[in-house]
Amino acid sequence: MKLKKVISAIAIVSMTASLLAGCGDSGNSQTPAADNTPTDTKQEEPKEEPKEEPAQEAEAETEAPAVEEQVLKVAAFEGGYGADMWTEVAAAFEASHPGVTVELTVDKKIEDVISPSMKAGDYPDVVHLATGREAALTETLTKENALLPLTDVLEMTVPGESVKVKDKIVPGFLDTLATNPYGDGVTYYAPMFYSPCGLFYNAGLFKEKGWDVPTTWEEMWALGDTAAAEGIALFTYPTTGYFDAFTYATLSSAGGSDFFNSCMTYEDGIWESENATKVFELIEKLGTYTEATTVANANNDNFTKNQQLILDNKAIFCPNGTWLPGEMADAPRADGFEWGFMAIPAVNAGGAGCSFCWFEQMWIPAAAENQDMAKEFVAYMYSDEAAQIFAKSAAIQPIAGVSDYLEGDNKMFYSIYDNGATAVMGGFAATAPVEGVNMLDTLCGTVNSIVSGDKTVADWQAAVEEASDKLRAAME
């Protein structure tokens, strides 16, 4: 399950020390051939047979140049893909970079592991840790301007290949607040494993019932009425945290990319606009089609009960990312169950459905000791070699041609944009901390209260606009 958001800031102790990149050539320091001829040799003595100094010299000349030994400290979040892929990637990087030893730390709570050392001034060189985590370490360092710009990494050649990093990454991933958090065109987060988000359903149920997959919300409501007559709810959700991707896609569908970006950058009055109102009211109506037990189980302990609803044909659609089938791999399911996956339906008539693309991030602390080799490691993440290692664990890198490594359900999931869905990427712009304000909690965390009827759309909309106003004043 994707975890969510916020903690306190970390004091940043600045350290800057840049080591040489690559293999590190320390010069061609050959050992001269030994001269064993005595200095006091008498002429009448027979000459010794010549020693094979030339051969020794030739051997010395072919010795590999000495390399600079470096230790690269890499810290990575252990998500649903497991830790083994990181061990294999680290070994492959070491093999292609003689003299470099990767000191790898992988943990499900990597923030708790590395934060104490960071407070003491001992930073990892590279960190794989996405935004949107509850501890919010990535966001904290971003707000403290404690990350190293990675724009020059995009101009680097992918190690072992002949193409630049920027030309290897799928278009669109570098033009978003999820990689350029300050909105200034400078990349600080390297896009990593990506996952299209959308609505999962039982395709077998649609075949059994003869239902068509809806592409608009009018068709969704009609399907909801039909299913309700058979005791099946239209919708469920794991927790309200999953409404980030859902809401982002719906906002973009309602008003387009410029409107979406205005929402993400706290434009004055944007959450009170007509397009925003469409989204608030749509979610309110969806609440009336939501399975009755959903709110009670929408928490970190019981969220799989909500996900189970679609496997049991008790609800039709569930918003999620491509990790869901793996998360529910061992769960029981209805006869004939078959995973289906679709974009969020179009809000406006004639519009396109949208799928928010969730992706993880890798970054380099500004206080990292081995910054040059850290950049080399980040560039290596986009190599075919690294991508194929990751793909074996279903961790998919946003690089051109990655679908060649996929099969089965994954091939279906990652073809969503080929089937007409509009990709939506990005998130809220970074701001200075504002006490008591958490935009995602206000926007998404309120959904349970809307579904249960404890809050009105008007109150919800006003609270989001108020939070937006406070964050706009704190934008960096």
Side-chain angles (χ1 to χ4, degrees):
M1 173 188 175
K2 185 178 57 168
L3 298 178
K4 308 277 165 189
K5 291 96 186 153
V6 302
I7 78 171
S8 60
I10 294 174
I12 304 301
V13 180
S14 178
M15 297 175 59
T16 54
S18 184
L19 298 183
L20 294 174
C23 297
D25 187 351
S26 64
N28 208 8
S29 56
Q30 303 168 14
T31 303
D35 183 357
N36 295 325
T37 305
T39 57
D40 60 348
T41 302
K42 298 177 180 176
Q43 292 183 356
E44 63 269 27
E45 291 179 353
K47 294 182 179 180
E48 296 180 0
E49 291 295 322
K51 299 184 184 296
E52 297 183 355
E53 282 108 344
Q56 293 175 353
E57 291 174 1
E59 182 178 349
E61 289 175 358
T62 61
E63 287 181 7
V67 294
E68 182 178 346
E69 299 290 332
Q70 294 187 52
V71 174
L72 184 73
K73 294 185 291 186
V74 176
F77 167 65
E78 181 187 346
Y81 309 121
D84 290 346
M85 66 180 190
W86 286 108
T87 302
E88 188 174 350
V89 162
F93 183 79
E94 289 176 339
S96 61
H97 292 73
V100 175
T101 298
V102 176
E103 184 179 287
L104 183 64
T105 303
V106 183
D107 198 274
K108 293 180 179 179
K109 294 186 176 180
I110 193 66
E111 304 97 321
D112 295 346
V113 176
I114 64 176
S115 289
S117 296
M118 290 170 66
K119 289 178 181 178
D122 183 12
Y123 284 77
D125 296 307
V126 181
V127 180
H128 165 257
L129 181 65
T131 55
R133 299 265 299 159
E134 183 178 0
L137 177 59
T138 300
E139 290 90 336
T140 297
L141 293 183
T142 302
K143 292 171 184 176
E144 296 291 341
N145 296 305
L147 301 182
L148 193 71
L150 301 181
T151 304
D152 56 341
V153 175
L154 304 178
E155 298 294 335
M156 292 173 61
T157 299
V158 176
E161 300 180 10
S162 58
V163 61
K164 289 185 177 180
V165 171
K166 68 178 183 181
D167 296 326
K168 202 72 187 289
I169 297 175
V170 173
F173 277 81
L174 299 175
D175 303 315
T176 165
L177 290 170
T179 51
N180 308 332
Y182 304 114
D184 57 0
V186 179
T187 299
Y188 287 84
Y189 306 149
M192 291 288 287
F193 319 126
Y194 79 110
S195 173
C197 296
L199 299 177
F200 284 80
Y201 60 94
N202 177 5
L205 179 63
F206 277 74
K207 293 176 182 178
E208 175 189 334
K209 301 292 186 181
W211 293 340
D212 293 326
V213 176
T215 58
T216 69
W217 282 100
E218 290 306 315
E219 294 174 355
M220 283 284 280
W221 308 138
L223 175 61
D225 294 337
T226 298
E230 300 192 32
I232 304 173
L234 178 68
F235 189 72
T236 188
Y237 54 90
T239 70
T240 58
Y242 283 77
F243 271 88
D244 54 1
F246 180 94
T247 304
Y248 294 158
T250 309
L251 288 167
S252 186
S253 180
S257 59
D258 288 344
F259 168 72
F260 172 72
N261 288 333
S262 294
C263 293
M264 297 300 103
T265 52
Y266 320 107
E267 182 179 303
D268 189 17
I270 196 68
W271 293 100
E272 297 171 325
S273 66
E274 180 183 353
N275 286 324
T277 299
K278 288 180 185 178
V279 174
F280 285 116
E281 291 180 348
L282 184 152
I283 293 174
E284 179 188 37
K285 185 170 183 177
L286 187 58
T288 66
Y289 285 89
T290 297
E291 202 276 339
T293 64
T294 294
V295 172
N297 292 318
N299 53 63
N300 290 344
D301 295 325
N302 297 314
F303 70 95
T304 56
K305 293 181 179 179
N306 289 340
Q307 294 175 170
Q308 184 68 40
L309 292 172
I310 64 170
L311 277 71
D312 293 338
N313 290 337
K314 293 181 179 178
I316 300 177
F317 293 111
C318 179
N320 222 302
T322 52
W323 55 84
L324 176 63
E327 199 167 58
M328 302 299 288
D330 299 327
R333 58 204 63 208
D335 292 341
F337 182 89
E338 178 184 337
W339 285 111
F341 183 58
M342 61 176 272
I344 306 300
V347 173
N348 301 315
C354 290
S355 168
F356 181 79
C357 182
W358 177 269
F359 61 88
E360 301 180 26
Q361 294 111 329
M362 176 173 278
W363 38 272
I364 300 174
E369 182 176 358
N370 298 323
Q371 294 183 1
D372 288 343
M373 189 55 67
K375 291 179 179 179
E376 181 80 359
F377 186 83
V378 172
Y380 177 74
M381 295 297 96
Y382 303 99
S383 66
D384 288 343
E385 181 177 57
Q388 290 179 50
I389 292 171
F390 288 135
K392 290 188 295 185
S393 297
I396 310 303
Q397 283 291 73
I399 65 173
V402 73
S403 60
D404 294 343
Y405 314 138
L406 307 180
E407 56 186 21
D409 286 341
N410 270 339
K411 209 165 190 69
M412 173 185 68
F413 301 150
Y414 286 88
S415 68
I416 190 169
Y417 302 121
D418 298 330
N419 295 332
T422 298
V424 181
M425 288 178 279
F428 286 105
T431 72
V434 178
E435 186 176 357
V437 178
N438 184 307
M439 190 62 171
L440 280 174
D441 277 356
T442 304
L443 179 62
C444 302
T446 307
V447 170
N448 277 344
S449 297
I450 297 299
V451 175
S452 66
D454 293 336
K455 284 190 177 180
T456 66
V457 163
D459 290 339
W460 182 25
Q461 191 169 9
V464 173
E465 178 65 24
E466 181 181 358
S468 181
D469 290 341
K470 292 179 180 178
L471 293 171
R472 181 173 62 258
M475 276 189 66
E476 298 179 347

